[in-house]
Amino acid sequence: MSTQNPQPWRLVVTEAASGSWNMAVDEAIATYTARGESPATLRFYQWRPGTVSLGRNQSFADLDMDRVQQQGYGVVRRATGGRAILHIDELTYSISGTANDAGLGGAILDSYNQLSNGLMLGLQRLGIDAVKAQAESRSGADAGPICFEFPSAYEITVGGRKLICTAQSRRSGYILKHGSLPLTGNV
């Protein structure tokens, strides 16, 4: 449940950094929010070098490691679920907080829906014809290893194609959500 009197969130924008640094910062912020030592936090960042992030339960066998190394990309595992994302020419966000923070409480799909409403509104204000995938949209076991292939429940789409990949983790008293918005290129 969300609090009766929502508290302000903190905004953090960091320089582009390695995958391991980015994931460590997200986990540290989430840990501090769980302890009550930090407010809910929205963080924006990018990756340098380009990095493939794998979802929490995804197999490294899904990657062509020779190709990844030839391209000079890093590889990291996210604390959140989902499928592989190549982080180049995109903006990543993380949201760290607790179930008492506005928009994060309730069931996982409830918070996906609430947070997607905000993303969709922001994109629409920029003139992008963004919509949410239906709640019934679920990636099954037959979905490929790439996050941008199929939209899941409440993920943002444009013209029927996924625009923002999202994943969430709930543990140790915190909620951590990751999202990736490509800025250029062909995902």
Side-chain angles (χ1 to χ4, degrees):
M1 278 273 162
S2 296
T3 59
Q4 294 286 339
N5 298 309
Q7 298 298 308
W9 286 24
R10 175 176 61 164
L11 173 64
V12 175
V13 179
T14 57
E15 299 287 326
S18 70
S20 58
W21 191 88
N22 280 327
M23 295 301 93
V25 169
D26 284 344
E27 193 162 343
I29 292 171
T31 299
Y32 278 94
T33 62
R35 293 181 191 163
E37 297 174 28
S38 173
T41 301
L42 169 61
R43 176 176 171 244
F44 290 110
Y45 56 96
Q46 292 183 302
W47 307 67
R48 189 163 296 126
T51 300
V52 177
S53 71
L54 295 173
R56 178 178 65 230
N57 299 313
Q58 188 172 11
S59 172
F60 277 90
D62 286 342
L63 293 180
D64 178 344
M65 287 304 292
D66 290 337
R67 180 89 187 252
V68 169
Q69 290 174 345
Q70 287 171 0
Q71 296 296 319
Y73 298 141
V75 178
V76 70
R77 181 172 303 286
R78 295 186 308 275
T80 54
R83 304 197 183 275
I85 300 173
L86 175 56
H87 299 281
I88 55 172
D89 301 324
E90 53 96 72
L91 180 65
T92 299
Y93 71 86
S94 64
I95 295 173
S96 302
T98 69
N100 292 324
D101 292 310
L104 297 180
I108 289 174
L109 285 182
D110 292 337
S111 66
Y112 264 81
N113 187 30
Q114 291 177 59
L115 295 170
S116 289
N117 285 339
L119 290 168
M120 190 174 61
L121 180 61
L123 290 167
Q124 289 171 345
R125 286 184 177 174
L126 293 171
I128 298 170
D129 189 22
V131 298
K132 288 187 300 186
Q134 296 298 310
E136 298 79 30
S137 298
R138 301 295 298 212
S139 294
D142 59 339
I146 312 288
C147 184
F148 282 100
E149 287 181 319
F150 303 102
S152 292
Y154 303 125
E155 286 190 311
I156 304 299
T157 65
V158 173
R161 307 273 321 256
K162 186 189 289 196
L163 180 63
I164 300 176
C165 281
T166 61
Q168 190 175 122
S169 177
R170 293 174 176 222
R171 58 182 175 194
S172 302
Y174 65 73
I175 297 170
L176 175 61
K177 184 170 179 80
H178 283 126
S180 176
L181 172 65
L183 300 174
T184 62
N186 180 355
V187 297

